[in-house]
Amino acid sequence: MAKQMMRCLMSLPPLSRASLTITAQRSIATAAATKKKIKKSEEKKRAQFLAVKREKEKRRTRSDKEFEYKENDNHVPVLLGEVIDVFSSLHLRSFVDCTLGAAGHSSAIIKGHPELENYVGMDVDPVAHAKARACIDDLMHSHSCHLKVHTFLSNFKHVKPLLAEVDPNFFNSGVDAILMDLGMSSMQVNNPERGFSVLANGPLDMRMDPQASLKAEDILNSWPDTEVGRVLREYGEESNWHLLQNKIVQARLRGGLHTTGDLVDLIRNMTHGTRGGRQGWIKTATRVFQALRIAVNDELGTLEKTLNACFECLAPGGRLAVISFHSLEDRIVKQTFLKVIETGRGDGDADEEERFGRDSRNSEEMWIKSVVQGRNGRILTKRPVTPSEEEERLNRRSRSAKLRVVEKV
């Protein structure tokens, strides 16, 4: 082919040959300039990414805790060592786990505090509740102790009436420690029938409480299109929410969306040809699934009310620890903590005298780096504690986890 082109070029008059040579040189120069421009653009994007990453590092306290991981663990509690540290200095008479899950955190607290007298655990998921109860019962049989255990199949929004049912005196004496882990358990994600997984086909359910009436399928097929768009925009923080809203409405005309596979196919077709490949549509699908799950379970509205209720239930010196997994949750936790301790300011900036080292009460608690003081309490995590690099590497579910702690005075 090259020889033929050369023969054609040589057969042309000198003037035409020169013209073609100049054109070729210009094309080569243009291609080189384009390549250079693309490379410069990619370098700029990388610099921006690193700048954002550095800024995020400034807004958190990365844990330096050694992460203990066993290959055969079916469930790995997130930030387990850090949660143990939060309550290790307290003499616990009572402990409340608002999100039992597989009882990983609860088991560690019960083992580490033989002085514990009352334990209360709750979970809205019947599978999680049954598994956690069995785990705690096994623990009680192997450790002879006087601990009173109470577990409830209930949403944590009922924490106050549940505590009153256990012991009316809780409201007089208060609870020493409360934990909320807002993450999805592997039991829920790995069961396609629950509808939480992006990668496994199942019904569009997404209910934490199987007895609840509203499903993700109802939102996608029945809610007004403007409400669907609002859910995607506010709860999923999805930039293409309007296009997604239109695609969902169009799908209704063809019979609607009834399985997670239907929804994933819609998202894949919508993002076909865009940059990012497989990771591109998976990220979009993850945001959409998050938005629907939050709407189905009213997670954000329930969270703020429960945080206030839990703080009211604390005894003086008692601590509330919350692990969140996305920015919407973390923002609510941060802002609610600031309100309940009554700082008198909403930005959460602590003065220098509030930093670790100026307060003898925290001299032995090295995990506390900076506190925010208020009239009703103290936030012990001015910046949230995040998993160590080792935990993030070995337990990918922990990557977005943030731990915030407030102490009542």
Side-chain angles (χ1 to χ4, degrees), residues 175-278:
V175 176
D176 296 321
I178 302 177
L179 173 66
M180 297 173 70
D181 177 354
L182 306 178
M184 297 280 295
S185 74
S186 54
M187 293 178 291
Q188 295 163 332
V189 176
N190 295 340
N191 183 356
E193 294 302 310
R194 303 298 298 274
F196 293 116
S197 176
V198 172
L199 301 177
N201 191 29
L204 276 167
D205 194 318
M206 301 195 190
R207 292 172 298 173
M208 293 291 189
D209 179 2
Q211 301 302 316
S213 57
L214 181 64
K215 301 178 182 179
E217 183 179 2
D218 301 325
I219 295 175
L220 293 169
N221 296 319
S222 306
W223 278 22
D225 55 348
T226 53
E227 274 299 288
V228 173
R230 182 189 66 81
V231 166
L232 297 172
R233 183 179 68 251
E234 294 183 6
Y235 298 159
E237 299 181 297
E238 173 55 45
S239 58
N240 290 325
W241 65 270
H242 195 267
L243 178 59
L244 271 166
Q245 170 191 310
N246 292 337
K247 292 290 184 182
I248 290 168
V249 172
Q250 291 169 17
R252 293 176 180 177
L253 303 176
R254 299 189 296 272
L257 302 167
H258 303 287
T259 67
T260 55
D262 292 341
L263 180 56
V264 168
D265 287 343
L266 181 146
I267 294 168
R268 290 182 70 172
N269 292 331
M270 188 198 80
T271 56
H272 179 70
T274 58
R275 295 185 67 182
R278 183 172 185 269

Side-chain angles (χ1 to χ4, degrees), residues 98 122 155-160 178 180 182 299-313 320 336:
C98 290
M122 63 196 76
N155 192 298
F156 54 47
K157 66 183 178 182
H158 303 301
V159 61
K160 272 191 168 182
I178 302 177
M180 297 173 70
L182 306 178
E299 292 181 11
L300 302 185
T302 301
L303 174 60
E304 185 172 358
K305 293 174 185 175
T306 305
L307 289 171
N308 282 286
C310 285
F311 187 78
E312 290 174 14
C313 293
L320 166 61
T336 305

